[in-house]
Amino acid sequence: MTDGSYTVAVCGATGTVGREIVKILEQRSFPVRQLYLFASKRSQGEKIEFRDDDLSVRELTKSSFDGVDLALFSAGGDVSKKYAPKAAEAGAVVIDNTSAFRLDDDVPLVVPEVNPEDIAEYTARRIIANPNCSTIQMVVALKPLEDAVGIERVVVSTYQSVSGAGRSGISELEQQSIGLFNLKEIHTDRFAHQIAFNCLPHIDTFQPDGYTFEEHKMIHETRKILHRPQLRVSATCVRVPVFYGHAESVNVETRKKLTAKRARQLLQEAPGVKVVDEPSSNLYPTQIQTAGLDETQVGRIREDASLDNGLDMWIVADNIRKGAALNAVQIAEILVSKYC
Ligand code: A2P
């Protein structure tokens, strides 16, 4: 990395998150000298627009990283496990959007509004992990409450869109919806059951303790990002028939009492958060209204009547932007401005 501009590789460039990364690099004028787009062999030669060029997608191989400064991975955990170390060996810094390295002690797990200082630890393996989408939007809203009064316990239920499962998730909801409206037989492949007009309390694989892996991600990643290894967190993650945007009902028990009014103020001042909370005008965040936006939206902020120090809130974000691509590009921005 020399003249203030960088050779950037996007691995998984044809996917839902990869395409958004390319868009965001352009929208935020990230100093890209050269952009390489990688995907599987299937996509070789496909064109993706960047600035005023149509760039060709290439097959990802071990030798894809010569001269690459920054490699943004979003092609699934197996691809990251295989190729991210190769990219790091070749001298790139990896920002990885999968769960492959998130809980490794020597890999920082970063949400720029929450723990940007952890980026400094990238030198150990030259890998920085981007957290799970549902974790990112939750910790952005928890951070100001943690700083103000300390958090004792978090109980969250999520309402996660099908885009979190990539292109196959989006097309399964589309195909099932079209099929049902046309009285056709529908097929279930990406999800365990019909997702159209249905909600599935099942994201990722079931674990021996009864939680799913997605729920484990929320629990363990929240602890790591907030530097609270003992924080009590419980999660229920639900896939809902929505295309874009994840919503979360979050119950927080704090160490000291926080009124709803004070919590609203703290959230209004928090970076990356927009408070949308005017019940008298039916104003609260929804997935449709949040799609395409950068901020995490928080509403329905109220004191939990069943606890001395409890708050309830409804947190919504665009899972493809803040939950994935935007967070990764924000990490890259801090990396190049402060560390490289
Ligand atoms: P491809 O389009 O060639 O399959 P999504 O989860 O939205 O479907 O995106 C997954 C991304 O990961 C796509 O860009 C996909 O490329 C890419 N990908 C999947 N498997 C591989 C692989 N073995 N090597 C490189 N990229 C891969």
Side-chain angles (χ1 to χ4, degrees):
M1 310 188 194
T2 45
D3 61 352
S5 68
Y6 303 88
T7 298
V8 179
V10 178
C11 307
T14 50
T16 321
V17 173
R19 284 178 188 277
E20 198 70 20
I21 289 175
V22 174
K23 258 200 245 167
I24 293 176
L25 288 170
E26 177 167 345
Q27 284 167 353
R28 293 173 72 94
S29 304
F30 189 85
V32 176
R33 183 193 312 130
Q34 189 148 19
L35 186 63
Y36 296 133
L37 305 178
F38 296 113
S40 77
K41 197 173 180 157
R42 292 180 289 274
S43 306
Q44 207 166 351
E46 199 176 309
K47 303 281 184 207
I48 294 182
E49 203 181 316
F50 178 65
R51 296 178 184 156
D52 287 328
D53 278 342
D54 278 334
L55 303 183
S56 285
V57 175
R58 307 174 194 195
E59 182 188 359
L60 181 64
T61 67
K62 286 176 191 158
S63 51
S64 294
F65 303 101
D66 283 350
V68 170
D69 300 312
L70 265 176
L72 297 138
F73 275 77
S74 194
D78 291 341
V79 172
S80 289
K81 279 184 195 149
K82 183 167 173 194
Y83 292 104
K86 303 276 173 232
E89 264 168 43
V93 180
V94 171
I95 301 175
D96 183 47
N97 196 46
T98 75
S99 60
F101 309 104
R102 286 181 189 148
L103 298 180
D104 291 6
D105 284 340
D106 51 0
V107 171
L109 180 67
V110 176
V111 178
E113 293 86 347
V114 180
N115 59 337
E117 65 287 350
D118 289 352
I119 291 175
E121 291 161 28
Y122 84 91
T123 48
R125 281 171 66 188
R126 302 184 72 78
I127 300 176
I128 302 168
N130 209 39
N132 172 256
C133 42
S134 300
T135 309
I136 293 177
Q137 66 185 73
M138 184 168 79
V139 295
V140 164
L142 290 181
K143 171 72 172 165
L145 312 184
E146 164 74 356
D147 286 349
V149 288
I151 292 173
E152 283 289 340
R153 178 169 182 250
V154 178
V155 181
V156 51
S157 294
T158 69
Y159 303 68
Q160 299 181 222
S161 61
V162 293
S163 56
R167 289 167 305 180
S168 57
I170 295 171
S171 81
E172 189 146 314
L173 176 56
E174 265 169 10
Q175 292 309 315
Q176 288 184 353
S177 305
I178 293 167
L180 288 164
F181 277 122
N182 288 285
L183 305 176
K184 298 248 170 69
E185 197 186 327
I186 59 159
H187 302 285
T188 293
D189 178 32
R190 183 66 178 81
F191 302 112
H193 302 278
Q194 177 185 323
I195 185 63
F197 310 103
N198 206 5
C199 296
L200 311 178
H202 175 185
I203 302 183
D204 215 321
T205 51
F206 280 100
Q207 304 296 298
D209 63 2
Y211 283 98
T212 61
F213 189 50
E214 184 82 352
E215 291 158 357
H216 272 194
K217 289 178 215 164
M218 289 199 78
I219 295 166
H220 298 294
E221 294 179 19
T222 299
R223 291 174 175 164
K224 179 167 173 175
I225 297 163
L226 292 176
H227 298 281
R228 291 281 313 278
Q230 308 300 326
L231 185 65
R232 288 185 293 154
V233 183
S234 188
T236 303
C237 291
V238 183
R239 188 73 73 193
V240 297
V242 165
F243 285 102
Y244 293 98
H246 289 353
E248 296 172 348
S249 166
V250 180
N251 180 265
V252 187
E253 186 176 351
T254 52
R255 287 203 181 122
K256 289 191 214 138
K257 171 90 184 160
L258 202 54
T259 62
K261 189 174 171 211
R262 180 75 187 122
R264 211 169 282 123
Q265 274 170 352
L266 290 167
L267 286 160
Q268 264 156 359
E269 289 158 12
V273 174
K274 179 154 191 252
V275 172
V276 180
D277 196 17
E278 284 175 44
S280 57
S281 315
N282 295 340
L283 276 183
Y284 38 77
T286 70
Q287 274 126 310
I288 293 279
Q289 285 149 357
T290 306
L293 301 181
D294 287 350
E295 292 88 9
T296 296
Q297 320 265 314
V298 186
R300 301 292 325 277
I301 301 162
R302 62 203 188 278
E303 286 156 44
D304 174 352
S306 73
L307 272 180
D308 289 338
N309 300 333
L311 284 170
D312 282 301
M313 51 188 179
W314 177 248
I315 303 173
V316 186
D318 183 326
N319 55 303
I320 303 300
R321 282 185 82 86
K322 183 57 190 162
L326 173 63
N327 200 75
V329 175
Q330 287 175 305
I331 292 172
E333 288 170 348
I334 299 174
L335 182 75
V336 300
S337 68
K338 285 204 161 170
Y339 299 101
C340 295

